[in-house]
Amino acid sequence: MNRIRTQAGYWVRARIALLCGMLALGLGVVVASGFQLTGVDGKAWREMAEEQRQRRLHVSPKRGSIFDRNGSALAVSVDVPSLSIDALEMLSDVRPQNVPVVARQTANRIAQALSLDPAQVEQRILSKRRFAWLKRQISLPEVEAVRQMTSAEAGDQQVHGLSVDGEARRYYPARSLAGSLLGFVAPDGMGKDGLELSLQDELSGRVEQLKGLRDRSGRLLFADGIEDDRALAGHDVQLTIDQGIQYIAERELALAAQTFEAIGGSVVVVAPSTGEILAIASWPPYNPNDYRASDPTTRRDRALTDRFEPGSTMKIFTVAAGLASGVITPTQQLYCEKGRMQVDNIVLRDTHPSEWLTVSQVLAVSSNICAAKIGLGLGGDKLYDALRRFGFGESTNLPVPGESEGVLLPRKRPWVQVETAAAAFGQGITVTNTQLAMGVAAIANGGNLMEPLLIKKVSTATGEVLREAVPKIRRRAVSPQVARALVEMLVAVTEGEGTGAAAAMEGFQVAGKTATAQKVDPGTGRYSDDSFVASFVGLVPARKPELVISVTLDSPRVAHTGGSVAAPTFRRIAQFALRYLGLVPQGTREADLNELSHEADPARATLSTLQQASGAVPAVQETHLGGTAARGEIRIPDMTGLPAREALRQTAELGMVPKIVGSGLVARQQPAPGQFAPRGAALVIELEPAS
């Protein structure tokens, strides 16, 4: 009996020992694994845990704005609602066998509310992705429809996984104004044309990857790594463009193109002393807010991309080269062969046959034969060098994609006589309207070819100026004496029997040159008899040039000469721009604001204060209240509440000079509504942001 008990006790003790050994072994494995996890592999596992707990957030910065020289917004970014979908959350409570049915039913509801294709929505749901855009930049009614579907009040019909987030959209407050220059931004935030494309890196800012926590609905709960979101924002760009001058240039260009049935055209306005481009207009225009509605061929900036044979405007530079080299003198007379001269196997003809002409008369009546003689006297090499000094055949280096360099005949071989003669009066070579304007600007400022300036300043979102443009001389084209003599000669073009008489202005002396260049027929390779490029390029005032304006119209049908098509357009743009800049015609007496009695007339006191605040000293003439309008006077309408563009348009139609103060909507104006004022007087418009 004792023996049986002894054996039973032995096996109990053996089992206990075995169990303790197994427990000890298991504990050892656990301890070893814990040591491996925490000690040896601890760092890697902690990083993995952190990755699972946090999400990497790609923060898209706010795109920088584009302003004109006076701070008026041309392109801004605004937040608009966009709809995204979390398919996993949407199907989280759905049994696997019911997923296809639920996905189809939900897709039909969403598609009906947002005007989408149900099949595409269903595909997004079945993809089971954590994030996907469903529809970008939705309307307010669509936002409300989404809220009703996702609200708890929908009960069993509630849809999970839909999120309405703010997304930046590019907005152009002035609509089509400078649209071809600005370009547009696609929904993905990338600039696709114009300055939006060429300045993409500066405007877009830098995309930062941050670590943060999000709840189940995808809302950001915490993020670190950035102290100020403005540090990521794109840079703001201020252009040299003046919105007021740009508006009138586009308006007059459109009027001329529609009146004369042209297929295209462009205008460039330059400040010759600095090389700043004040306006660069292209027709037909397009609205970058709705770029999909426009033909891609109309989006190009014709002033920079379209090259054309300049025709007679090239005689300006031929004569300049002749004067600079001593081939001709300002008082010399040239024999014009009575309107017909043969060069090699080509016969040159003049529209106005003449016998003897001075150099000034050669420009005034636009003699091809005398221009060819000057070019032949220079020779091909010297003429080529002269045209290159004025910037032809090379890029202007403006930050706009697609700029053309134009075409000069190659210098690798000697020019034959007919090539030299043709180039002297603008055939066989091509230029852009911007090159033409900058070349004449070199004549206007005393002979210096300036670097064209389009970007005035670039600054950060915090206001720090990164770079600011300063006038830069590229090279000297001609001496000041030659430039001054040439300006005096070009005045004759706009006076008397000159071809540019339609560009003449009362009170200002205009110097310029017309051109009516035949286009090459692509079918025959010969010059067309009914297709022309009409142009006029000039500077004003001639004594002390403030503006150079180049107008080009492609294939006008109703009339086709530069003198009848482009010259009047130049005059209208110049008249407005000079008044806008505060310049008065000769013989006009400027009112002395200091002589106005503030106590006697509070309205005058307000006018003086606003002008001093804006730095404007225009040609102000007296206004009076009530009564009937005197001869040449108009009653001032009430513009309160209008946007700046509309106020500017109405002011131009009244024939008055607008002076804009501030930004936003019209809050006050001086002269006040109902007052009478003479045409040409200043109308000060004070703007305030809309509440």
Side-chain angles (χ1 to χ4, degrees):
M1 191 69 176
N2 291 334
R3 185 176 181 180
I4 295 174
R5 290 179 179 175
T6 302
Q7 289 180 345
Y10 171 77
W11 287 112
V12 169
R13 287 193 298 271
R15 286 197 299 269
I16 292 174
L18 180 62
L19 180 60
C20 290
M22 294 178 64
L23 290 175
L25 180 62
L27 181 60
V29 171
V30 171
V31 172
S33 299
F35 176 77
Q36 180 74 20
L37 290 174
T38 58
V40 180
D41 300 331
K43 183 178 179 180
W45 285 105
R46 282 194 299 270
E47 290 179 355
M48 181 180 295
E50 190 72 10
E51 289 290 334
Q52 293 175 348
R53 187 175 66 90
Q54 293 184 337
R55 293 189 183 181
R56 295 188 180 275
L57 312 175
H58 291 270
V59 179
S60 297
K62 182 179 181 181
R63 192 177 182 86
S65 300
I66 301 177
F67 302 95
D68 83 334
R69 65 185 300 110
N70 300 315
S72 297
L74 297 176
V76 296
S77 291
V78 296
D79 285 337
V80 295
S82 290
L83 181 65
S84 63
I85 181 174
D86 183 342
L88 282 179
E89 181 182 355
M90 182 175 290
L91 301 174
S92 60
D93 297 331
V94 180
R95 294 180 179 179
Q97 62 270 24
N98 296 335
V99 166
V101 177
V102 173
R104 183 173 295 106
Q105 293 175 348
T106 306
N108 290 334
R109 289 183 59 196
I110 296 174
Q112 184 177 4
L114 301 176
S115 300
L116 296 174
D117 182 4
Q120 292 183 355
V121 177
E122 182 179 357
Q123 185 178 2
R124 294 287 177 87
I125 297 174
L126 293 176
S127 66
K128 296 184 179 181
R129 295 175 57 187
R130 294 293 303 181
F131 175 85
W133 287 115
L134 200 57
K135 186 173 183 180
R136 308 179 81 165
Q137 300 175 4
I138 61 178
S139 63
L140 292 180
E142 289 174 332
V143 171
E144 184 60 30
V146 171
R147 287 176 179 170
Q148 291 179 1
M149 284 190 292
T150 58
S151 173
E153 298 177 356
D156 295 339
Q157 300 297 317
Q158 182 181 9
V159 177
H160 298 281
L162 295 180
S163 178
V164 177
D165 301 310
E167 185 185 20
R169 178 187 178 185
R170 204 59 166 172
Y171 175 62
Y172 303 88
R175 292 176 290 184
S176 62
L177 189 76
S180 298
L181 175 65
L182 296 173
F184 63 93
V185 176
D188 62 0
M190 299 295 293
K192 297 298 183 183
D193 204 355
L195 292 174
E196 296 280 21
L197 172 59
S198 60
L199 301 177
Q200 169 67 21
D201 291 341
E202 294 179 302
L203 290 169
S204 62
R206 56 191 178 93
V207 178
E208 187 79 358
Q209 189 182 69
L210 305 176
K211 293 181 179 180
L213 294 176
R214 287 182 181 270
D215 64 9
R216 186 180 180 186
S217 299
R219 293 188 295 268
L220 180 63
L221 299 178
F222 170 79
D224 58 10
I226 180 171
E227 297 180 356
D228 187 349
D229 58 356
R230 292 181 299 176
L232 302 179
H235 299 153
D236 293 331
V237 176
Q238 187 175 23
L239 306 181
T240 60
I241 297 294
D242 189 298
Q243 185 171 264
I245 299 177
Q246 178 75 25
Y247 169 75
I248 200 65
E250 291 191 9
R251 190 187 74 173
E252 295 303 329
L253 175 63
L255 177 64
Q258 293 168 358
T259 301
F260 297 105
E261 299 180 5
I263 64 174
S266 64
V267 171
V268 179
V269 183
V270 178
S273 59
T274 62
E276 292 178 306
I277 296 180
L278 303 180
I280 183 166
S282 181
W283 194 90
Y286 83 98
N287 185 351
N289 290 310
D290 191 19
Y291 62 89
R292 294 183 182 88
S294 61
D295 188 333
T297 59
T298 67
R299 298 176 191 164
R300 70 183 188 275
D301 194 327
R302 294 173 180 265
L304 291 162
T305 61
D306 285 15
R307 58 190 187 189
F308 57 94
E309 292 193 0
S312 294
T313 51
M314 197 52 54
K315 294 170 186 173
I316 299 174
F317 311 102
T318 300
V319 171
L323 292 171
S325 64
V327 171
I328 55 174
T329 63
T331 58
Q332 182 178 347
Q333 288 194 334
L334 301 175
Y335 184 59
C336 299
E337 307 291 341
K338 297 182 180 180
R340 189 177 186 277
M341 183 179 77
Q342 184 164 344
V343 178
D344 293 340
N345 60 337
I346 302 296
V347 176
L348 305 181
R349 292 182 174 83
D350 278 342
T351 305
H352 306 284
S354 304
E355 193 166 353
W356 289 93
L357 293 174
T358 64
V359 178
S360 180
Q361 290 171 329
V362 168
L363 292 171
V365 301
S366 199
S367 171
N368 290 340
I369 291 174
C370 289
K373 283 189 171 184
I374 297 172
L376 292 171
L378 286 165
D381 288 346
K382 287 186 176 180
L383 182 59
Y384 177 92
D385 290 340
L387 297 182
R388 290 287 290 191
R389 284 199 302 274
F390 280 104
F392 298 109
E394 64 181 17
S395 172
T396 63
N397 295 324
L398 286 174
V400 181
E403 181 188 6
S404 174
E405 295 181 352
V407 176
L408 285 180
L409 294 172
R411 199 183 176 186
K412 296 178 181 178
R413 58 169 177 78
W415 289 5
V416 298
Q417 281 195 323
V418 69
E419 290 176 330
T420 303
F425 57 81
Q427 285 189 348
I429 60 176
T430 62
V431 303
T432 67
N433 204 15
T434 304
Q435 289 177 329
L436 193 59
M438 295 308 301
V440 173
I443 300 295
N445 66 29
N448 292 321
L449 180 66
M450 304 298 295
E451 191 82 32
L453 298 180
L454 185 59
I455 307 299
K456 187 177 181 67
K457 183 171 63 176
V458 177
S459 57
T460 65
T462 57
E464 179 186 357
V465 177
L466 298 178
R467 72 172 189 270
E468 194 164 4
V470 294
K472 180 181 178 182
I473 299 174
R474 299 181 72 173
R475 67 180 74 94
R476 175 162 285 281
V478 290
S479 68
Q481 295 78 12
V482 170
R484 185 68 254 172
L486 190 56
V487 169
E488 295 295 336
M489 295 177 184
L490 291 174
V491 170
V493 177
T494 64
E495 296 180 345
E497 300 299 322
T499 57
M505 299 166 53
E506 185 177 353
F508 292 105
Q509 204 171 38
V510 178
K513 186 72 187 76
T514 61
T516 309
Q518 290 176 287
K519 295 180 66 176
V520 175
D521 187 339
T524 63
R526 297 176 177 272
Y527 284 105
S528 172
D529 293 329
D530 58 2
S531 185
F532 302 86
V533 175
S535 60
F536 182 91
V537 58
L539 52 98
V540 64
R543 299 292 180 186
K544 189 178 180 182
E546 294 287 341
L547 297 173
V548 168
I549 304 173
S550 183
V551 181
T552 300
L553 289 164
D554 186 5
S555 304
R557 296 297 181 186
V558 176
H560 65 268
T561 64
S564 60
V565 175
T569 305
F570 167 93
R571 183 189 70 248
R572 291 192 295 268
I573 295 173
Q575 285 175 333
F576 174 88
L578 291 173
R579 291 176 178 175
Y580 180 82
L581 295 175
L583 300 178
V584 296
Q586 295 178 0
T588 301
R589 177 183 177 273
E590 294 190 37
D592 187 354
L593 296 179
N594 295 323
E595 296 177 357
L596 299 178
S597 173
H598 293 185
E599 292 79 9
D601 191 345
R604 293 177 179 175
T606 303
L607 175 61
S608 175
T609 302
L610 291 177
Q611 288 171 341
Q612 291 174 2
S614 62
V617 185
V620 180
Q621 301 185 33
E622 293 187 7
T623 64
H624 62 84
L625 294 169
T628 57
R631 184 174 181 180
E633 291 186 329
I634 54 175
R635 185 185 293 272
I636 306 300
D638 186 1
M639 299 185 185
T640 304
L642 295 180
R645 180 183 175 90
E646 179 62 21
L648 184 63
R649 184 188 67 79
Q650 291 191 18
T651 304
E653 291 179 351
L654 292 172
M656 302 189 70
V657 182
K659 293 295 178 182
I660 305 296
V661 180
S663 61
L665 303 179
V666 177
R668 286 169 292 278
Q669 64 186 80
Q670 189 58 233
Q675 290 186 0
F676 292 101
R679 295 185 185 276
L683 178 59
V684 181
I685 301 172
E686 186 176 5
L687 306 176
E688 290 184 356
S691 59

